[in-house]
Amino acid sequence: MLIVEDPQRTRRLHRIATRFGQKFREMTVETFRAIVVSRGEDKKQSVAVTELSPGDLMEGDVTVAVEATTVNYKDGLAITGKGPVVRRWPIVPGIDCAGTVVRSENARFKPGDQVILNGFGVGETHTGAYAEYARLNGDWLVKMPDGIDGRTAMGIGTAGYTAMLSVMALERHGLTPDRGPIVVTGANGGVGTVAIALLGKLGYEVIASTGRTEEADFLKSLGASEIIHRDELSGPAKPLAKERWAGGIDAVGSHTLANVLSMTSYGGAITACGLAQGMDLPTSVAPFILRGVSLLGIDSVMAPLALRQEAWARLARDLDPAKLEALTTEIGFQKVIEAASDIIDGKIRGRVVVKMDH
């Protein structure tokens, strides 16, 4: 949940950070737990929980004791090998983490600072978050906003941060609640659930598209006013269809995105931030040249620092903590590999927080 900064807690975190930092300086942390994805000469992928040493971490000017991480769809692809996410072997996966700086050669950070990491190839080409420690480039890190702790930050994670980037893009396009409904596809996923909660609090009417319509009551509790089955959008699209919404947040791609575009009203906009159905986009130019519809690409991986800071500040302000708690499940580190398979199989609702225990 969201927390109010407690001076006593801050002093305690600084003491912990100092202890971890001293261990790293003295190299007395000999090993720590990590998940490692490997590939043999036959290119067959394997994954295991193992022990690493500080020397196994890649270069970086900030070392972080990982307090919490999460399981995103992208993490599921990396661990299961069902998508070309990993590009360096072997590697520690995990694209998100929140934790305490224990050692820093970067002027922006000092031991004891609380930080958040999203993206920048971490868990893909740079050793990632599924370990008790991460050594990172300080330029990739955002300081924890006031009122958020590590568990909350990972309840949000890349999925929720991407949802916020999408909401901000729709706002910049000029879409306000009085323009009409906003459709959210993949509504039970991490991006979808956070997007619904954000849009609902901001006063938008939200139409949620999902394959799990039995979750209708849950989605309505987050802020959705209407639930449609994903089958309505998953087949081949017409060049133009009846106008149904002013905008949308799409995490699915392929035919679904094509249908969403074809049903967007004049001057509306759709953000594209995912590919659960596929990377293809079998559409026509009709929505763009006949209705002035805009397709807004959302990149959460390499977004500039100023945009990241704005998104996290907005999340601290605009995301209802009770709703975030309702869509968050907490697991232990030993459950990450299982959760990675579950998220690919569509068995996970909302967000998953992985609490690290040092």
Side-chain angles (χ1 to χ4, degrees):
M1 62 176 65
L2 299 187
I3 62 168
V4 177
E5 188 63 31
D6 179 352
Q8 186 174 3
R9 174 179 176 276
T10 300
R11 288 193 294 272
R12 179 174 61 83
L13 290 172
H14 276 274
R15 288 197 299 272
I16 293 171
T18 300
R19 187 170 73 249
F20 283 135
Q22 185 66 23
K23 286 182 178 181
F24 261 83
R25 285 190 294 272
E26 295 175 357
M27 300 304 292
T28 57
V29 173
E30 296 181 357
T31 62
F32 52 87
R33 292 177 302 163
I35 294 172
V36 175
V37 175
S38 304
R39 190 165 67 175
E41 292 183 3
D42 58 359
K43 295 190 176 181
K44 185 177 180 180
Q45 182 169 311
S46 61
V47 59
V49 178
T50 187
E51 295 284 321
L52 296 181
S53 69
D56 294 315
L57 297 175
M58 294 178 67
E59 291 184 1
D61 56 6
V62 178
T63 301
V64 176
V66 178
E67 175 184 345
T69 180
T70 183
V71 182
N72 297 291
Y73 190 80
K74 195 172 188 179
D75 297 315
L77 292 174
I79 287 178
T80 62
K82 293 184 177 179
V85 172
V86 176
R87 300 192 298 279
R88 176 188 182 276
W89 307 90
I91 200 164
V92 176
I95 65 173
D96 287 343
C97 74
T100 303
V101 173
V102 295
R103 188 174 184 178
S104 176
E105 298 169 3
N106 186 295
R108 291 179 56 224
F109 301 102
K110 62 184 183 303
D113 285 347
Q114 296 284 286
V115 294
I116 302 169
L117 167 81
N118 306 112
F120 282 104
V122 173
E124 302 173 60
T125 59
H126 188 97
T127 46
Y130 292 157
E132 291 182 289
Y133 294 93
R135 187 178 294 137
L136 305 162
N137 184 329
D139 293 339
W140 302 341
L141 300 173
V142 173
K143 287 189 176 181
M144 194 85 67
D146 291 340
I148 288 184
D149 64 1
R151 185 185 187 280
T152 301
M154 291 299 98
I156 296 168
T158 283
Y161 153 67
T162 301
M164 187 74 252
L165 291 175
S166 293
V167 170
M168 290 162 54
L170 293 178
E171 291 174 339
R172 287 195 300 271
H173 189 76
L175 293 187
T176 53
D178 60 358
R179 287 282 302 273
I182 303 294
V183 65
V184 176
T185 65
N188 271 296
V191 173
T193 49
V194 178
I196 292 168
L198 287 167
L199 291 166
K201 185 176 180 183
L202 292 169
Y204 291 87
E205 178 185 350
V206 181
I207 300 173
S209 168
T210 179
R212 289 180 276 169
T213 50
E214 68 275 10
E215 299 280 11
D217 289 344
F218 168 68
L219 295 174
K220 288 181 178 179
S221 73
L222 294 179
S225 56
E226 181 183 349
I227 312 298
I228 61 175
H229 199 281
R230 69 182 177 198
D231 288 350
E232 292 188 37
L233 303 175
S234 60
K238 297 178 181 179
L240 285 178
K242 182 180 178 180
E243 298 179 23
R244 297 181 66 177
W245 35 71
I249 295 175
D250 176 68
V252 179
S254 192
H255 292 291
T256 297
L257 177 53
N259 275 291
V260 167
L261 287 165
S262 76
M263 299 177 187
T264 302
S265 60
Y266 191 91
I270 305 297
T271 67
C273 58
L275 43 69
Q277 188 179 11
M279 291 185 67
D280 59 322
L281 181 53
T283 189
S284 74
V285 299
F288 310 114
I289 66 173
L290 298 180
R291 289 186 182 160
V293 171
S294 295
L295 180 58
L296 310 175
I298 303 298
D299 167 44
S300 62
V301 176
M302 304 299 290
L305 179 60
L307 189 60
R308 290 167 177 267
Q309 291 172 325
E310 181 185 356
W312 278 102
R314 286 286 303 275
L315 285 160
R317 187 184 78 201
D318 293 334
L319 183 57
D320 185 331
K323 289 183 178 179
L324 178 62
E325 189 65 27
L327 61 86
T328 300
T329 301
E330 184 176 314
I331 64 173
F333 184 71
Q334 72 278 5
K335 295 286 188 180
V336 168
I337 296 174
E338 178 183 344
S341 294
D342 286 345
I343 200 168
I344 296 299
D345 292 339
K347 297 178 181 178
I348 287 180
R349 178 180 79 175
R351 301 286 299 131
V352 174
V353 171
V354 182
K355 287 288 285 182
M356 302 294 288
D357 181 8
H358 286 271

